Amino acid sequence: MFRALLACALLVLTTSAFAGSFAGTTGGATSAGSSASSGSSSGKDKIVLQAREDAAGFVASDGRIRGVRLEAALRHLRQTRPDAQAASDLQLAQAILAL
């Protein structure tokens, strides 16, 4: 179910990136998010889901507020998903929020 939600969220991010420029939306979120939908265990997904509040603060503060849970999720995503390595912290935080 997590993967299906993530895939839908990524579709929304992809559509908004191609449709135009919205505040805080970046085109690179697609590559970060699409990699996040492949091959993870439920225990690891919990790390990402628990980072949503920190991700919201990070996005709202334009990257000035970095929570511990967000840092753990960013590290996890970059270690387990090769495409996430090329994404910025802001792009990954936006993908986490879209879950």
Side-chain angles (χ1 to χ4, degrees), residues 53-78:
E53 188 174 324
D54 284 359
F58 182 78
V59 171
S61 70
D62 198 29
R64 290 185 299 275
I65 299 173
R66 301 178 72 92
V68 176
R69 289 182 177 171
L70 176 62
E71 290 295 331
L74 295 176
R75 230 178 357 263
H76 165 69
L77 289 171
R78 289 196 172 108

Side-chain angles (χ1 to χ4, degrees), residues 9-97:
L10 296 175
L11 180 61
V12 169
L13 286 175
T14 303
T15 304
S16 65
F18 288 118
S21 174
F22 293 99
T25 303
T26 58
T30 304
S31 64
S34 63
S35 63
S37 66
S38 62
S40 64
S41 66
S42 61
K44 300 299 183 180
D45 295 340
K46 189 174 182 180
I47 293 170
V48 175
L49 290 174
Q50 288 178 340
R52 291 193 75 217
E53 188 174 324
D54 284 359
F58 182 78
V59 171
S61 70
D62 198 29
R64 290 185 299 275
I65 299 173
R66 301 178 72 92
V68 176
R69 289 182 177 171
L70 176 62
E71 290 295 331
L74 295 176
R75 230 178 357 263
H76 165 69
L77 289 171
R78 289 196 172 108
Q79 288 173 353
T80 59
R81 294 168 178 86
D83 292 345
Q85 294 174 3
S88 71
D89 290 351
L90 184 59
Q91 291 167 331
L92 291 176
Q94 289 170 334
I96 291 170
L97 282 176

